[in-house]
Amino acid sequence: MKNATSEYRLEMSGISKSFGVVSVLKDVNLKVKSGEIHALLGENGAGKSTLIKILSGVHQKDTGTVILDGEDITPKNTHEGQVLGINVVYQELSLVNDLSVAENIYLHKLGASKSWMNWKGLIQDAQELLDSLDFKIDASAKVKDLSIVQKQVVEIAKAISEDTKILVLDEPTTVFDPKDVKKLFQILFRLKEQGISIIYISHHLDEIFKIADTVTVLRDGVDTGSMPISKTDKDGVIHLMIGRELKDLYPKRDIKIGEVPIFQVKNLTAKETMVHDVSFNVKPGEVLGIAGLGGSGRTETAKLIFGADKKKSGTLILEGKEIKTNSPVDAAGYQIGFVSEDRKEEGVFLPLSIRRNISVTSFKSISSKLGFINVDNEYKKVLGLIEKLNIKTPNSEVNVKNLSGGNQQKVALAKWLSIDSKVIFIDEPTRGVDVGAKIEIYNLINEVAKKGVGVVVISSDMPEIMGISDRILVMHEGTIYGELQKEQFSEENILRYSIGEPLKQNN
Amino acid sequence: MALTLKQQLSAPGGILKFLVKYNTIFIFILLVIFSALISDVFFTSVNLSNLLKQVSGIGIISIGMLIVILTGGIDLSVGSMVALLAVTFAILVNIFALPLAILMTIVIGFGLGSISGYLVAYQKMAPFVATLALMTIARGLSFIYSKGSPVTFTTVGGQYMSNFANNSTLGIPNIAIVFFIIVICTMVMLRYNVFGRLIIAIGSNEEASRLSGIKVNKYKFLVYAISGALAATAAIIVASRTNLGSPNMGMAWELDAIAAVVIGGASLNGGKGTAINTLMGVLILGLIGNILNLLNVPSYPQQVVKGAIIIFAVLLQRFESK
């Protein structure tokens, strides 16, 4: 099917796809011009990932056509997709930790070329590529020694190291701080000038309006609209995404915050990380935000308190009594909860059912002395939480790996909400979560705080942390650099503290 | 709520899915039908009870292997442990009263397993390496304590045990009853007990388990110790069947146990597997041996067939995960 006159480089039309009985895509169209940045939006579970996976060859479409440069294509696997010039940077990093950056970037070529390696040339090429991206990364370093931001950059380098016509970026900036996001955008603009078509998936609408030329929105497996970005605005896009107007992303809070801190941290210093001299307190009913750049020690602080990392010195005081948390077991025993930022690796049990995921922390309340589980109580508890958290699933026996990111996050939260926590640390509560689920998670956080729990939220998302916190601590180089009261909240103030600058005087 | 059988069958492609989901049971049923068709002797009570007697020992250590594999580990020491503990039991039963000898053997098995457990859980040694070392040590010790030759039961207690191991109750061999009880207990434990739930959680994501406040090390330690205790139980059974404990017992049983667990659909990465499916795996392996014996197939071709069945079973399971 030749169609050389088309103004589009890529035309996906009438794409449908079902997995078993579940229909994921219904007659979806996506048309991308060359040299444009095309935003693909939709809530989690709307079908974005599936559409991309059909394009790249991971999945095969049931019906419809995919035309690339006038050629009808049906890649049967990702390798065929890559040969055709379709490269995808997935949300989940796919790097080999024990290999060097250079080897990772050229991994696809390692097997294909000659039998002997030209290490020097390989590292040189990789270094040039990385330098051109303007991120300081050593091409000969092992990937496992990189930060998560650097890993993401390596992923992008890997994708554009090939002859790319279509570059797909799936939530590339979730781990980036604003400075890095800017750099990434510059890379994208350069690629765009080279005539590469970029499909950009993101939940950050601000980003979309900064860089995209065109936007296509999916909802429940159907495309609800596609238009030049200049013809719409945030509200318009949100309306297309969730099918309703969005008034308040950050729910109003009218919670009485206690006077006496429920939990105090004094001069906490880590043995193995850069966290040092951290002191703060959180009051019952309070949502305390911890902001800071990636690598400033926010997650490490939470893990230190939770007993997952080793402490060197410092005191923790819970309800007026000093406690020691040498392991997560101790912390959980004191009813301190921790929801990890790394949902898949540290948060949920992907191959297990929702029920088994949620009840893992709450066996004390649903089992007898000998450890026999009262299954009726378990179901009651789990089904109650599924309903309360609005986890979208046909039943409690669905494996968590089959849920969308937002629903997986709710399961991770449910694990700690199902027991009565006194303090709960939530690291990046809405990373990779769509707008609709975000609001539900914010409501949930408020509800937990209402019960008198001290909630500590770590987030890189500035509007989010300002929207939900009562008070914000900003970390810089391993310690708390400053504290912001509600009336001082602004992106500028957070950023100033993040980079170790004092606030402007007139504040 | 879990789907009912009827719902599962009536969903599109339901019957196929059902077949794939319960593939081990179907392989087992197919093998039984096949065996019955090609051999007149198969469905005789003598043959069936022989079959059950043959698989009970390996079956019991397979259950231990299952719970170790569920945590993402492996226990290569069980075969040698059977030899060492069989010799131990034969020595003990000749000195002490029967219940005491049984208890002591099981406690020693638990203790030996604890060594692997300690090395894996607290010294962070790779399970393969730690249990490989224990495997050699146990086999060596069994030859040392037996002075290289079988230790025969000489007391009344030993005689009683031997009678028990070779007799049946209601047509079912006693030792198979012991095996089935262990299977049922494990089934209940994995489904309805916190211990079972937690070892599955650990196997499916150890880091998430740790961050959920689970005592990961304790449970990892315990599964090896329990595997040791089950090896002791198996050792008592096999020694009693033959009235002696020999250092040559349990040769390569660890491999058969792993095979049974894998045929039963468990994942060597941990987190997936059930007691009933492991039972099916054990019976399938036993059936193949049995029917090939009835057909007078020599033992070397038998090994080839066994291997082929393992490949076939695991290939079938790949449909399941899609």
Side-chain angles (χ1 to χ4, degrees):
Chain A
M1 246 214 298
K2 287 263 175 190
N3 186 7
T5 54
S6 170
E7 59 171 319
Y8 296 106
R9 160 162 262 180
L10 172 73
E11 281 184 80
M12 298 179 82
S13 9
I15 306 288
S16 297
K17 174 78 186 174
S18 312
F19 294 106
V21 282
V22 186
S23 163
V24 182
L25 293 174
K26 284 158 260 175
D27 198 20
V28 170
N29 301 301
L30 177 69
K31 296 187 165 68
V32 185
K33 293 177 195 159
S34 63
E36 83 164 346
I37 298 181
H38 193 115
L40 181 59
L41 302 178
E43 295 195 278
N44 285 327
K48 293 166 302 189
S49 300
T50 310
L51 188 64
I52 294 310
K53 283 180 176 163
I54 287 172
L55 176 64
S56 65
V58 178
H59 295 319
Q60 276 66 50
K61 58 187 189 283
D62 295 339
T63 61
T65 54
V66 181
I67 295 169
L68 179 68
D69 283 337
E71 297 280 348
D72 198 340
I73 60 162
T74 27
K76 283 189 277 300
N77 51 50
T78 48
H79 179 72
E80 286 190 23
Q82 282 169 357
V83 171
L84 289 163
I86 298 162
N87 277 296
V88 184
V89 178
Y90 289 105
Q91 218 172 327
E92 297 87 21
L93 300 173
S94 59
L95 299 175
V96 185
N97 268 323
D98 287 311
L99 294 185
S100 70
V101 170
E103 285 168 281
N104 265 284
I105 291 177
Y106 294 112
L107 198 56
H108 55 286
K109 287 186 185 155
L110 291 184
S113 59
K114 296 155 271 174
S115 330
W116 293 93
M117 299 291 310
N118 174 4
W119 289 111
K120 240 176 143 183
L122 190 79
I123 290 176
Q124 226 165 43
D125 289 353
Q127 193 64 58
E128 273 169 32
L129 183 65
L130 288 166
D131 290 346
S132 77
L133 295 181
D134 201 25
F135 277 85
K136 285 201 190 80
I137 299 173
D138 179 5
S140 54
K142 286 253 162 71
V143 161
K144 65 177 171 204
D145 298 326
L146 300 184
S147 73
I148 192 158
V149 173
Q150 290 174 319
K151 285 183 190 172
Q152 184 87 54
V153 174
V154 173
E155 281 277 0
I156 293 169
K158 184 177 165 185
I160 60 174
S161 73
E162 293 170 68
D163 214 3
T164 297
K165 289 178 183 166
I166 311 274
L167 174 66
V168 185
L169 297 166
D170 190 354
E171 289 275 355
T173 62
T174 42
V175 297
F176 283 29
D177 59 47
K179 203 171 69 223
D180 293 330
V181 171
K182 226 176 224 169
K183 278 197 212 165
L184 175 72
F185 286 175
Q186 265 150 19
I187 299 171
L188 296 186
F189 285 131
R190 224 171 321 140
L191 295 174
K192 176 181 150 177
E193 272 165 32
Q194 292 166 18
I196 295 175
S197 305
I198 297 167
I199 298 175
Y200 192 91
I201 300 175
S202 176
H203 291 122
H204 290 268
L205 294 183
D206 296 321
E207 288 180 359
I208 300 297
F209 281 91
K210 268 185 206 144
I211 60 161
D213 302 299
T214 317
V215 53
T216 295
V217 182
L218 294 183
R219 184 174 76 222
D220 296 335
V222 181
D223 55 321
T224 48
S226 183
M227 66 212 71
I229 201 89
S230 53
K231 295 263 167 66
T232 182
D233 58 10
K234 261 195 211 176
D235 288 340
V237 169
I238 290 173
H239 183 73
L240 288 176
M241 279 169 72
I242 63 177
R244 61 189 155 91
E245 298 291 346
L246 193 71
K247 285 280 175 269
D248 295 306
L249 186 53
Y250 304 105
K252 286 246 159 38
R253 288 168 43 74
D254 52 346
I255 295 165
K256 257 214 171 137
I257 299 173
E259 292 291 320
V260 188
I262 187 166
F263 186 60
Q264 286 169 277
V265 178
K266 287 184 181 164
N267 298 316
L268 190 65
T269 298
K271 206 179 228 171
E272 286 151 355
T273 61
M274 27 87 96
V275 176
H276 61 93
D277 303 308
V278 170
S279 301
F280 67 88
N281 65 61
V282 55
K283 301 183 185 89
E286 184 180 37
V287 177
L288 177 68
I290 299 186
L293 301 179
S296 60
R298 296 168 303 179
T299 300
E300 290 79 1
T301 301
K303 282 196 169 174
L304 197 59
I305 293 167
F306 194 63
D309 287 347
K310 288 205 176 79
K311 299 178 195 61
K312 195 168 147 201
S313 59
T315 350
L316 305 180
I317 298 169
L318 182 69
E319 292 178 321
K321 271 181 247 144
E322 187 177 336
I323 58 165
K324 293 233 181 299
T325 54
N326 293 323
S327 71
V329 177
D330 296 343
Y334 287 117
Q335 294 171 292
I336 298 173
F338 174 64
V339 181
S340 169
E341 64 174 333
D342 194 340
R343 185 160 62 223
K344 295 205 161 99
E345 295 292 327
E346 301 180 343
V348 294
F349 304 95
L350 289 174
L352 302 186
S353 68
I354 298 174
R355 174 167 60 93
R356 283 178 172 238
N357 262 274
I358 293 178
S359 53
V360 105
T361 49
S362 57
F363 285 133
K364 254 188 206 152
S365 64
I366 53 168
S367 64
S368 69
K369 275 222 174 79
L370 281 173
F372 285 96
I373 297 159
N374 182 331
V375 180
D376 284 343
N377 279 352
E378 186 186 21
Y379 270 112
K380 219 190 278 168
K381 185 154 205 165
V382 169
L383 291 174
L385 279 162
I386 288 176
E387 197 185 316
K388 189 168 154 200
L389 272 61
N390 199 11
I391 298 171
K392 294 193 182 78
T393 173
N395 58 60
S396 64
E397 303 309 298
V398 171
N399 287 344
V400 167
K401 68 173 172 212
N402 295 328
L403 299 178
S404 69
N407 286 312
Q408 286 181 359
Q409 183 69 10
K410 289 184 198 165
V411 171
L413 282 166
K415 220 167 62 178
W416 289 109
L417 299 181
S418 64
I419 55 171
D420 290 325
S421 301
K422 289 180 176 158
V423 185
I424 181 163
F425 288 81
I426 309 177
D427 197 355
E428 301 290 354
T430 63
R431 174 175 289 171
V433 168
D434 63 72
V435 182
K438 265 185 187 173
I439 301 174
E440 286 168 359
I441 289 173
Y442 298 147
N443 280 326
L444 212 63
I445 289 175
N446 283 340
E447 214 171 295
V448 173
K450 209 172 199 167
K451 285 196 286 187
V453 176
V455 183
V456 182
V457 174
I458 298 170
S459 175
S460 302
D461 186 332
M462 293 239 204
E464 167 175 297
I465 202 153
M466 291 191 290
I468 62 172
S469 308
D470 297 308
R471 188 158 57 101
I472 296 176
L473 306 174
V474 185
M475 289 195 74
H476 172 65
E477 292 185 343
T479 196
I480 290 167
Y481 192 82
E483 178 177 328
L484 297 168
Q485 303 303 323
K486 194 130 201 169
E487 57 278 6
Q488 297 172 295
F489 286 5
S490 76
E491 294 208 17
E492 190 190 334
N493 283 349
I494 293 177
L495 203 62
R496 278 181 164 272
Y497 275 158
S498 302
I499 56 175
E501 291 283 319
L503 300 187
K504 275 185 185 165
Q505 276 314 309
N506 58 1
N507 262 321
Chain B
M1 298 279 161
L3 293 173
T4 64
L5 183 65
K6 211 173 162 191
Q7 279 169 317
Q8 284 185 22
L9 285 174
S10 56
I15 291 175
L16 187 68
K17 267 192 196 153
F18 186 79
L19 283 176
V20 171
K21 188 170 174 193
Y22 297 101
N23 66 74
T24 28
I25 294 173
F26 284 99
I27 294 177
F28 173 69
I29 292 172
L30 280 179
L31 272 174
V32 170
I33 295 170
F34 178 74
S35 308
L37 287 178
I38 60 171
S39 165
D40 312 332
V41 199
F42 178 76
F43 255 124
T44 58
S45 64
V46 177
N47 182 51
L48 288 182
S49 93
N50 262 339
L51 169 62
L52 285 178
K53 280 180 192 166
Q54 274 159 12
V55 299
S56 294
I58 286 187
I60 291 170
I61 62 167
S62 299
I63 293 295
M65 187 68 77
L66 169 71
I67 63 168
V68 172
I69 284 178
L70 279 174
T71 64
I74 194 123
D75 189 351
L76 297 179
S77 69
V78 286
S80 305
M81 296 262 260
V82 166
L84 176 58
L85 293 160
V87 170
T88 307
F89 178 68
I91 295 172
L92 291 175
V93 84
N94 289 345
I95 303 173
F96 299 103
L98 178 62
L100 189 61
I102 291 176
L103 186 71
M104 284 168 80
T105 309
I106 292 176
V107 169
I108 292 170
F110 189 89
L112 288 170
S114 301
I115 299 174
S116 304
Y118 170 75
L119 293 174
V120 171
Y122 297 100
Q123 294 300 323
K124 311 291 169 210
M125 212 183 264
F128 192 97
V129 178
T131 59
L132 183 69
L134 256 287
M135 166 174 135
T136 329
I137 292 171
R139 185 67 69 185
L141 287 177
S142 69
F143 277 97
I144 293 171
Y145 286 124
S146 65
K147 302 190 179 69
S149 47
V151 181
T152 318
F153 294 2
T154 53
T155 54
V156 188
Q159 196 49 52
Y160 178 86
M161 232 7 237
S162 170
N163 285 339
F164 171 82
N166 287 299
N167 285 335
S168 301
T169 305
L170 302 171
I172 305 170
N174 290 333
I175 57 173
I177 294 176
V178 173
F179 172 40
F180 291 147
I181 290 174
I182 289 172
V183 170
I184 291 166
C185 289
T186 310
M187 227 166 84
V188 171
M189 187 197 68
L190 289 178
R191 294 203 91 161
Y192 300 108
N193 193 285
V194 175
F195 177 81
R197 288 291 187 81
L198 292 185
I199 63 172
I200 290 172
I202 289 168
S204 84
N205 190 341
E206 194 170 321
E207 194 51 27
S209 304
R210 204 167 75 93
L211 291 176
S212 298
I214 296 171
K215 293 174 183 159
V216 172
N217 289 342
K218 175 182 137 184
Y219 289 100
K220 281 173 81 173
F221 170 83
L222 275 177
V223 290
Y224 290 92
I226 293 173
S227 175
L230 287 172
T233 313
I236 295 169
I237 278 174
V238 291
S240 302
R241 267 193 79 198
T242 48
N243 219 9
L244 53 82
S246 155
N248 287 312
M249 281 173 165
M251 279 292 181
W253 275 22
E254 63 279 349
L255 300 182
D256 278 345
I258 294 169
V261 173
V262 168
I263 290 174
S267 158
L268 286 184
N269 296 325
K272 182 168 167 271
T274 64
I276 191 80
N277 277 340
T278 297
L279 169 65
M280 289 301 142
V282 169
L283 292 177
I284 287 169
L285 274 184
L287 256 179
I288 296 165
N290 181 263
I291 189 69
L292 293 176
N293 278 337
L294 292 180
L295 295 175
N296 290 324
V297 178
S299 77
Y300 296 130
Q302 282 197 22
Q303 292 177 6
V304 176
V305 175
K306 253 189 202 173
I309 294 278
I310 295 173
I311 294 173
F312 176 68
V314 175
L315 282 179
L316 244 178
Q317 285 153 18
R318 287 179 36 189
F319 290 105
E320 186 182 9
S321 53
K322 278 183 184 163

